[in-house]
């Protein structure tokens, strides 16, 4: 009985081993088919957005493996990212470099995936056209390593508020400074970006700014469309303190144009503690009225 039982167990073990090996072969085959499908899909996407001949696109697919190794990513990510940039009208050569830069941004930040890094890079470059992608990434990486804000948080903040900040005359360094300073206190880049955008629009005080605030879901029931001169006087009245001779902070420059938000916030920041102290001394509430405005 035991001899027969042993023989049957040996046969069963051999059968199970053989079955497991076949199963592994089948699973590997299925994985291979899935990978082929993914690369084929990536090629199809590039064909949709490019006028390049199919032979050149296939040549790029082979090249993408070496490109991926150089930045620590996968060939598939390089191909998909390249297609995203070509969709924006970039040439193949431009898109290839942009895809490498997007993957570098992902690697030096805390982005979970290259799609988020790509979106952030596209938005930042649209807002700051005078800078190359490499210069943008270097600035974010530098600040992210030195201050209480992560590189991906800064990129997200610029993605959400960079266009407005740039339109209001803030260069990349000033925009980054505003976001970093606020985030060091609030520690929520989405809130910070929304706040910077809203403050910029409320300082402008125009009908167009009101419409944009409404699109952001902001309450504009107390919003008053004001001329530059009227807005200028309101801020001056609220920020008149002893150190500026009672003249207040001027939000307009010598030519009558709005100063950028960095300059305005910097000037207000330099007298805000004094403003609070005078409010307390004289029983006024200008510091809070300024915030409401």
């Amino acid at each position: 009985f035991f001899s027969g039982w042993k023989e049957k167990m040996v046969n069963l073990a051999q059968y199970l081993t053989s079955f497991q090996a076949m199963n592994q072969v089948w699973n590997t085959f299925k994985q291979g088919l899935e990978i082929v499908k993914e690369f084929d899909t990536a090629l199809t996407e590039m064909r949709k957005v490019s006028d390049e001949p199919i032979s050149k696109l296939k040549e790029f697919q082979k090249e993408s493996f070496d490109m991926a190794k150089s930045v620590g990513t996968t060939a598939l990510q390089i191909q998909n990212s390249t297609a995203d940039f070509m969709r924006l009208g970039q040439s193949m050569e431009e898109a290839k470099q942009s895809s490498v830069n997007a993957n570098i941004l992902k690697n030096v930040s805390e982005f979970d995936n290259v799609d988020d890094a790509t979106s952030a890079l596209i938005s930042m470059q649209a807002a700051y056209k005078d800078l190359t992608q490499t210069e943008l990434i270097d600035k974010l990486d530098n600040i992210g390593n030195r201050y209480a804000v992560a590189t991906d948080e800064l990129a997200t903040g610029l993605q959400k508020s960079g266009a407005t900040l740039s339109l209001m005359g803030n260069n990349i360094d000033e925009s980054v400074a505003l976001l970093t300073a606020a985030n060091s206190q609030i520690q929520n880049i989405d809130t910070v970006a929304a706040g910077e955008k809203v403050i910029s629009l409320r300082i402008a005080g125009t009908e167009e700014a009101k419409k944009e605030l409404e699109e952001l879901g902001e309450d504009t029931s107390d919003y008053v469309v004001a001329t530059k001169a009227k807005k200028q006087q309101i801020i001056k009245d609220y920020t008149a303190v002893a150190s500026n001779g009672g003249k207040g902070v001027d939000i307009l420059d010598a030519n009558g144009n709005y100063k950028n938000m960095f300059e305005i916030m910097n000037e207000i920041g330099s007298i805000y503690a004094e403003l609070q102290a005078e409010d307390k001394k004289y029983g006024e509430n200008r510091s809070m009225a300024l915030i409401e405005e």
Side-chain angles (χ1 to χ4, degrees):
F1 172 78
F2 286 109
S3 177
W5 180 260
K6 180 180 178 182
E7 183 183 346
K8 294 297 182 185
M9 288 298 101
V10 170
N11 290 340
L12 178 61
Q14 290 174 341
Y15 170 77
L16 291 175
T17 301
S18 176
F19 178 79
Q20 187 178 21
M22 288 299 296
N23 197 43
Q24 287 177 343
V25 169
W26 174 242
N27 285 337
T28 302
F29 181 70
K30 286 197 295 184
Q31 288 173 4
L33 288 176
E34 194 60 36
I35 291 171
V36 170
K37 182 180 177 183
E38 288 174 350
F39 279 110
D40 189 54
T41 300
L43 181 63
T44 301
E45 286 301 310
M46 286 190 288
R47 290 185 69 182
K48 287 180 182 177
V49 296
S50 173
D51 295 327
E52 299 289 348
I54 184 69
S55 58
K56 189 168 183 178
L57 294 177
K58 286 185 176 181
E59 184 181 326
F60 163 64
Q61 280 198 309
K62 293 177 183 177
E63 181 189 351
S64 67
F65 286 89
D66 288 332
M67 292 170 61
K69 286 179 185 177
S70 70
V71 292
T73 186
T74 67
L76 191 61
Q77 279 194 352
I78 289 288
Q79 292 171 35
N80 287 332
S81 194
T82 299
D84 288 338
F85 284 103
M86 283 198 290
R87 196 173 286 111
L88 294 172
Q90 291 189 1
S91 68
M92 172 169 267
E93 291 305 312
E94 291 172 331
K96 282 161 62 175
Q97 186 56 53
S98 293
S99 71
V100 168
N101 290 334
N103 279 276
I104 290 174
L105 176 58
K106 174 184 176 293
N107 291 344
V108 300
S109 68
E110 294 73 26
F111 277 119
D112 293 328
N113 57 74
V114 73
D115 291 338
D116 291 341
T118 298
S119 297
L121 189 58
I122 290 169
S123 297
M124 289 189 295
Q125 195 168 33
Y128 303 99
K129 296 182 176 67
D130 56 322
L131 295 175
T132 66
Q133 293 173 349
T134 303
E135 288 173 327
L136 285 168
I137 294 169
D138 286 346
K139 285 181 181 293
L140 299 189
D141 189 38
N142 180 35
I143 298 299
N145 289 332
R146 294 170 58 200
Y147 296 95
V149 60
T151 304
D152 65 312
E153 289 179 323
L154 261 183
T156 300
L158 288 173
Q159 180 182 2
K160 295 184 176 181
S161 64
T164 301
L165 290 174
S166 177
L167 192 64
M168 294 295 289
N170 302 281
N171 63 32
I172 182 68
D173 295 321
E174 292 165 337
S175 298
V176 166
L178 288 166
L179 291 167
T180 302
N183 197 67
S184 68
Q185 299 295 319
I186 298 172
Q187 291 295 302
N188 186 319
I189 199 64
D190 290 330
T191 299
V192 168
E196 306 280 14
K197 193 169 185 177
V198 167
I199 292 170
S200 292
L201 292 169
R202 288 193 178 275
I203 287 175
T206 61
E207 189 67 51
E208 292 77 11
K210 180 181 180 181
K211 289 178 182 177
E212 194 165 343
L213 284 168
E214 289 170 347
E215 290 172 3
L216 291 171
E218 287 290 308
D219 179 14
T220 57
S221 58
D222 60 345
Y223 187 97
V224 178
V225 176
T227 62
K228 286 183 181 180
K230 185 175 181 181
K231 180 71 74 172
Q232 175 192 39
Q233 193 57 52
I234 290 171
I235 303 299
K236 276 186 174 182
D237 291 343
Y238 287 152
T239 55
V241 291
S243 63
N244 58 34
K247 295 180 180 179
V249 171
D250 196 342
I251 62 173
L252 302 182
D253 61 21
N255 297 319
N257 298 316
Y258 282 112
K259 295 176 181 176
N260 66 32
M261 185 175 162
F262 178 85
E263 293 175 297
I264 294 170
M265 296 296 280
N266 202 28
E267 290 179 36
I268 290 176
S270 67
I271 58 92
Y272 194 72
E274 183 183 0
L275 178 61
Q276 289 178 307
E278 287 193 8
D279 277 353
K280 187 175 182 179
K281 182 178 180 179
Y282 299 114
E284 297 177 335
N285 202 23
R286 292 175 299 151
S287 58
M288 287 304 298
L290 175 64
I291 291 174
E292 287 295 326
E293 182 63 27

